[in-house]
C-alpha cells in the first residue's frame, strides 16, 4: 500500500505543477471553511464560541467505530495530504481547508508539525469537532452531538460539497450515490 501512495505522490507533483485548475485556484479568493459553509455564519459562530466543540482526532473514533475507521484507512480522504505535493501547497490555506481536518476552525488542523493528529480528511473533517459526541456517548452510550452528523444530512452533504465542487470533483458522477456509499464502513 505504501508503494501505491508513493507512486501517487510522484505523479501528483507533476500534475499539480502543470495543472491549470491548481494555478487558477491559487489566484482565486480563499475557499470558505467547510463547517462554516455547511452551518451558515451565525450557527457556526455560536457553536465555535460556545466552547463545547473541539477536534479530538480519529484515534478516538476508532474506539467505537472500528469498521468505519478501518474502511476509511483505505479511502482517498485518509491520504488527502499526500496529494499536496510541494510545500507551496502543503502550507497553503486554500489547499489545507479541504485536505486536512478542521483547518481554520479553533482546535482544528494548524500544520503537520503542530497538529499531525488532524492531517488528512478524517471523521471530523466531515462531521465537525467530535468532543461533544464523545461526551454524549460516554453518558448515554448513544450517538449524536456532531455539528454535521447523520442526524443532519443537509449539513453533512453541504460539508461534502464544500470541497467536492464542480471545479475539483473527479471522484463521482452522481453525488447521491457517492453519499450513500459513505454511509457504509467501506465506501466502494
Amino acid at each position: 500500500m505504501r508503494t501505491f501512495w508513493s507512486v501517487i505522490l510522484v505523479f501528483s507533483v507533476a500534475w499539480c505543477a502543470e495543472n491549470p485548475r491548481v494555478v487558477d485556484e491559487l489566484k482565486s479568493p480563499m475557499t470558505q471553511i467547510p463547517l462554516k459553509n455547511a452551518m451558515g455564519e451565525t450557527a457556526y459562530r455560536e457553536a465555535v464560541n460556545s466552547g463545547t466543540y473541539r477536534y479530538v482526532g480519529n484515534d478516538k473514533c476508532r474506539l467505537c467505530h472500528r469498521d468505519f475507521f478501518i474502511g476509511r484507512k483505505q479511502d482517498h480522504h485518509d491520504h488527502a495530504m499526500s496529494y499536496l505535493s510541494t510545500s507551496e501547497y502543503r502550507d497553503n490555506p486554500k489547499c489545507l481547508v479541504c485536505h486536512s481536518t478542521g483547518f481554520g476552525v479553533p482546535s482544528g488542523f494548524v500544520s503537520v508539525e503542530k497538529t499531525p493528529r488532524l492531517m488528512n480528511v478524517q471523521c471530523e473533517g466531515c462531521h465537525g469537532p467530535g468532543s461533544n459526541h464523545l461526551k454524549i456517548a460516554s453518558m448515554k452510550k448513544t450517538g449524536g452531538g456532531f455539528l454535521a452528523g447523520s442526524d443532519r444530512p443537509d449539513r453533512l452533504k453541504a460539508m461534502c460539497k464544500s470541497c467536492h465542487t464542480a471545479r475539483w470533483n473527479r471522484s463521482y458522477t452522481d453525488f447521491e450515490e457517492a453519499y450513500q456509499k459513505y454511509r457504509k464502513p467501506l465506501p466502494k
Side-chain angles (χ1 to χ4, degrees), residues 74-153:
Q74 301 171 42
D75 185 63
H76 293 289
H77 288 95
D78 197 62
H79 306 281
M81 292 293 283
S82 68
Y83 294 103
L84 303 179
S85 55
T86 66
S87 62
E88 177 184 8
Y89 304 126
R90 282 191 300 266
D91 298 332
N92 192 313
K94 291 180 186 182
C95 302
L96 292 174
V97 75
C98 289
H99 285 261
S100 66
T101 298
F103 180 80
V105 180
S107 78
F109 181 81
V110 175
S111 69
V112 173
E113 296 77 26
K114 292 181 181 177
T115 52
R117 75 186 199 304
L118 296 174
M119 285 178 45
N120 302 308
V121 181
Q122 302 176 13
C123 308
E124 294 171 295
C126 300
H127 297 289
S131 61
N132 196 44
H133 174 73
L134 290 174
K135 180 180 174 184
I136 289 170
S138 70
M139 293 184 321
K140 300 180 184 176
K141 301 293 182 192
T142 62
F146 282 113
L147 295 172
S150 58
D151 57 333
R152 296 178 171 151

Side-chain angles (χ1 to χ4, degrees), residues 1-13 82:
M1 191 63 132
R2 174 173 248 143
T3 303
F4 171 77
W5 291 110
S6 298
V7 170
I8 292 294
L9 180 61
V10 168
F11 283 111
S12 67
V13 169
S82 68

Side-chain angles (χ1 to χ4, degrees), residues 18-188:
E18 300 172 8
N19 189 306
R21 291 184 311 156
V22 173
V23 172
D24 289 346
E25 183 65 24
L26 293 176
K27 295 176 187 172
S28 70
M30 175 69 176
T31 304
Q32 190 175 41
I33 295 168
L35 190 59
K36 186 187 292 186
N37 185 52
M39 296 180 69
E41 184 75 31
T42 304
Y44 170 80
R45 284 192 189 281
E46 287 175 11
V48 167
N49 292 334
S50 73
T52 303
Y53 302 95
R54 288 183 304 92
Y55 286 92
V56 296
N58 68 356
D59 282 348
K60 301 283 186 190
C61 306
R62 74 185 167 118
L63 300 173
C64 298
H65 305 284
R66 182 172 164 67
D67 291 346
F68 278 89
F69 180 82
I70 291 169
R72 294 308 178 265
K73 288 293 178 192
Q74 301 171 42
D75 185 63
H76 293 289
H77 288 95
D78 197 62
H79 306 281
M81 292 293 283
S82 68
Y83 294 103
L84 303 179
S85 55
T86 66
S87 62
E88 177 184 8
Y89 304 126
R90 282 191 300 266
D91 298 332
N92 192 313
K94 291 180 186 182
C95 302
L96 292 174
V97 75
C98 289
H99 285 261
S100 66
T101 298
F103 180 80
V105 180
S107 78
F109 181 81
V110 175
S111 69
V112 173
E113 296 77 26
K114 292 181 181 177
T115 52
R117 75 186 199 304
L118 296 174
M119 285 178 45
N120 302 308
V121 181
Q122 302 176 13
C123 308
E124 294 171 295
C126 300
H127 297 289
S131 61
N132 196 44
H133 174 73
L134 290 174
K135 180 180 174 184
I136 289 170
S138 70
M139 293 184 321
K140 300 180 184 176
K141 301 293 182 192
T142 62
F146 282 113
L147 295 172
S150 58
D151 57 333
R152 296 178 171 151
D154 291 344
R155 276 191 190 171
L156 195 51
K157 289 177 182 181
M159 290 287 282
C160 300
K161 291 178 178 180
S162 291
C163 294
H164 291 276
T165 64
R167 178 182 211 153
W168 291 107
N169 186 47
R170 292 182 175 199
S171 59
Y172 60 83
T173 54
D174 179 347
F175 177 79
E176 278 303 319
E177 180 183 346
Y179 177 79
Q180 291 305 321
K181 285 181 182 177
Y182 272 87
R183 296 184 70 176
K184 300 174 189 170
L186 184 59
K188 297 221 178 208

